[in-house]
Amino acid sequence: MTKIKISGVSLPLYILMLVILGVTISLNKLPLNMLGLTLLLVLLGHLFYYIGNILPVFKSYLGGGSVFTIFASAALATSGIIPTNVVNATKTFLNDQGLLDFYIAALIVGAILGMNRNLLLKAAVRFIPVSLAAMVIGFFAVGLVGMLLGLGFGHSVMFVSMPMMAGGIGAGAVPLSHIYAQGLGVSSASMFSQLIPAVTLGNVLAVIGAALIAKVGANTKYDGHGVLLPINEDEKSKPIKNLDVTRIGVGMMLTFSFFLVGTILNSFVPKIHAYAFIIILVIIAKAFNLIPDRLEESVVMFNKIIMGNLTHAVLAGIGLALIDLNVLGQSLTWKFVLLTLTSVVVMGVASAMIGKLFGLYPVESAIAAGMADNSMGGTGNVAVLSASNRMDMIAFAQMGNRMGGAIVLILGGVLIHFLH
C-alpha cells in the first residue's frame, strides 16, 4: 500500500487524512471557510482524479480523472453524503468568495504571458472567427434537428442551443433567464429551470467529447499537442526549470492586478465579462512587450503552482456545487439528449474543419472552440481542457466562450420575441 501514491502522498497517509476529514464532517465541525473547504476539495479532487485515471472505461472513453472527479463529487452532494450546509458553503467559496476567480485568473494571465508573442497574435486572429463560425453552424443545426423531432426550430435554439453557448450559469443562464422572462412576461425562475438542464448536460457531453477528441486525434497530423497552429523552435514556450518562492509571489501580485483592472473595466461596461477584459489587457501587454521577461516568468511560475495544486480541487468543487444529478436525470428524454448531442458534435466537427482551413490544428480547434463553446463557462472550460490535457489553451477557450456568450445574450433579447 505504501507504494501507491496519490499526488505524491502514500496511500496510508492519504486514507488517514480522509478519515480525519470524514470525522470532522460527521461531527459538523468542518470549518466552512478557506481552511476547511480547501482541504475538502483538494483531498476529494486528487482521490477521484486518481481513481478515474485507473478505471478502464473512464480512462479510455469517458474523460478519465476529470469527468470521474466531477461525477463522483456530484454523487456525494446529491446523495447527501456531503451535508447540504457543506455543499452550499462550497458553492459560496467557489463563486462569491472567489476560488474560481483566483484559479482562472492565474490560468489566463499565465497562459498568455507564457506564450510566444508571435504565436499568440497569429493564433488569436485565426481562432476567433473559427469559434464564432462554429457557434452559428451549431445554432442552425440544433434548430433543424429540433424541427425534425417535432420540437420546433424556435424552442430548440432558444432553450437548448443558446443556453449551451451562453457562457455558463452566472454569466450565461442567469442573465439569459432574465432576458427571456422580460420578453415573455413570466418569472425568471421558471425560465432558469428550463435553461439549466441544457447547460448541465451540454457541459458533461463537452467534457467527454474533449477527452475523446484528444484520444482519437493523438499523435496524428491533426494533433498540435496543446498548440493551436504549427510553430517553429523559436516559438515554443521555454520551460521554467527552477521555481523561486519570492518570484512566485511577485507573479501572484501581477496576475491579480490584471484581474482588478478587468474588474474595474467590467464595472463601467457590465455587458463585457471581467475575464474578457483580462484577456484583452494581457494580450495587449504581450503584443507590445510591456512586461519584462523576468516578470513574465514570475507569472508563469505562479501559473504552474496553481495548476499543479488546485485543478483537481476545482473539478471536485464543480461537481459538489454546480452539478445537480437530479435535475440532469429529469431532463434526459431522448429528444433532449439528441439535441444537446447535436450541438456538441456539429460544433466540434465544424470547428475542426474550419480551423484546418485557417491553419489551426483540428484537434485543438475542436476542443478550444467546439467543446469549450458548449461548456459551463469558466468552470466548464477548466473541465474540458483538463479532460483533454490542454490547460495551456485556457485563454483561447475563454476568449471564444466570453465573446460568444455576450453575443448570445444580445441575440436572446431580440429573438425571444420572434422564435417563441
Side-chain angles (χ1 to χ4, degrees), residues 217 220-231 361-364 390:
T220 66
K221 64 180 181 180
Y222 306 113
D223 181 11
H225 303 284
V227 180
L228 268 173
L229 73 170
I231 60 175
Y361 283 112
V363 168
E364 276 65 28
R390 279 163 172 78

Side-chain angles (χ1 to χ4, degrees), residues 370-384:
M371 298 303 102
D373 283 347
N374 280 293
S375 75
M376 195 183 285
T379 55
N381 289 342
V382 171
V384 163

Side-chain angles (χ1 to χ4, degrees), residues 127 130-135 138 164-165 202 205-207 209-210 213 228 340-353 355 362-375 381 384 393 396-397 400-401:
F127 176 77
V130 171
S131 178
L132 296 179
M135 291 179 71
M164 287 175 68
M165 300 188 299
L205 294 177
V207 174
I213 291 168
L228 268 173
T340 53
L341 191 61
T342 296
S343 180
V344 173
V345 172
V346 169
M347 288 177 63
V349 172
S351 56
M353 294 175 66
V363 168
E364 276 65 28
S365 184
I367 292 170
M371 298 303 102
D373 283 347
N374 280 293
S375 75
N381 289 342
V384 163
M393 295 200 301
F396 294 105
N401 206 269

Side-chain angles (χ1 to χ4, degrees), residues 145-168:
V145 172
M147 289 174 63
L148 294 174
L149 295 176
L151 299 175
F153 183 93
H155 177 82
S156 300
V157 297
M158 299 306 288
F159 289 93
V160 177
S161 178
M162 294 187 73
M164 287 175 68
M165 300 188 299

